[in-house]
Amino acid sequence: MAEGLKLPKFSVGVGDRFAHQAKAQLAACVMAANAGVEVSPVWNKSNREHMIIGSEPSQTRVAADAAVKELGWTKPYFLDADHINLNTVERFLAPCDFFTLDVAEMIGKPADAKDVAAFVNRHPELVGTVTIPHIDEPFKTDEAFVTGVANKFLAAVQDAGRIYRFLVEKKGAGNFVPEVSMDETDYPQTPVELLIILAAIADEKIPIQTIAPKFTGRFNKGVDYVGDVPQFTKEFNEDLAAIAFAIKTYGLPENLKLSVHSGSDKFSIYQAIHDAVKRFGAGVHLKTAGTTWLEELIGLAEAGGSGLEIAKEVYAEAYSHREELCAPYATVIDIDPAKLPSPEEVNGWTSEQFTSALRHDQSNKAYNPSFRQLLHVGFKVAAKMGERYLNALEANEAVVARNVTTNLFDRHIKPVFLGQ
């Protein structure tokens, strides 16, 4: 790997829908540093979010740089062009130095038969008995199996190669961190499938520093993990073993690590992630994009007065447009319509009732995951409010920032990176 921009061992993807919470998010990373662990912030905002809000990636850069300057942060930080492809990358080129290469549309599309055959011939080590250190049982494969996996993923990896080479042409090698996203597929990859994908990535000469595989279970937006925790734990450990083996076998960057997408609020698997990373001496990238927007709403509701009124208005609008708001996120939310309170009921709530329903505190009987998920996808409503919403954030900055920082440090950074 050519020397260049290097993502540190631990990093957290922090989304900031309205580019107002960079300082509050960075404050959580300062707290982590004071507690003895360096966690690099990676501000991420997808093209879809920019389109909905009417913002530009350059605004995210301005907000991040201002926060870094104000808090005197001297450690690395990054700006992620989240889920880009060749059609959407242009506006991200100048401000971003981290690129999540989204090849979801190509997963499952068969690659050219000659390319698949050439890949299988190039990698005899993947056919037969494949022994990956730290995984109890060797994997038994044959040529048909490797051909099948290559058929599913090779076209996607080749697409990632095209995006990567375009970025090198525009930004220069070593001037950005590449991540490949493989999580938008139907089934989790087995360790040997992940190894095959990593071999293909090495063939494309993409010096990826993070990879986002598909894990077992549901990673719904803004709520806890839904699935078999022991099975996730087994998979996560095996994925780390496969990555360590691929680094040695294929010469991939030594700091290559797992990226957990939709990682915010997955409290029941944080201990497993922490323990596995510690066991392997590995790094991890935890993406927590959407949770900050909900903390803004919590802060506004907690502030009372006009802040609470805006929070209630956002809910009422989200409720009346719920089908339209939920459609793009259908695979990553589970909302029970029967559990959604009516806007009329919510209009009568106190600050405490609103925050209790929304804040992700599972010990609070009033916590309502359906209410939370609807508001999670409802940021479009606040975007339409424009200056009115932004003015409310600024007027209530202290209470909003406190919620953003506390949520990121106490509920995310501490359990994942500090193991507390």
Side-chain angles (χ1 to χ4, degrees), residues 110-129:
D112 184 288
K114 287 180 186 171
D115 290 346
V116 172
F119 174 82
V120 177
N121 287 337
R122 225 175 11 251
H123 292 287
E125 78 284 356
L126 295 171
V127 180
T129 301

Side-chain angles (χ1 to χ4, degrees), residues 22 29 39 47 60 79 98 141 149 152 163 241 284 308 326 372 400:
C29 294
V39 181
N47 193 61
T60 312
L79 214 71
F98 184 122
T141 73
V149 176
K152 183 174 182 183
I163 304 168
V284 68
L308 178 59
C326 292
R372 182 175 170 85
V400 170

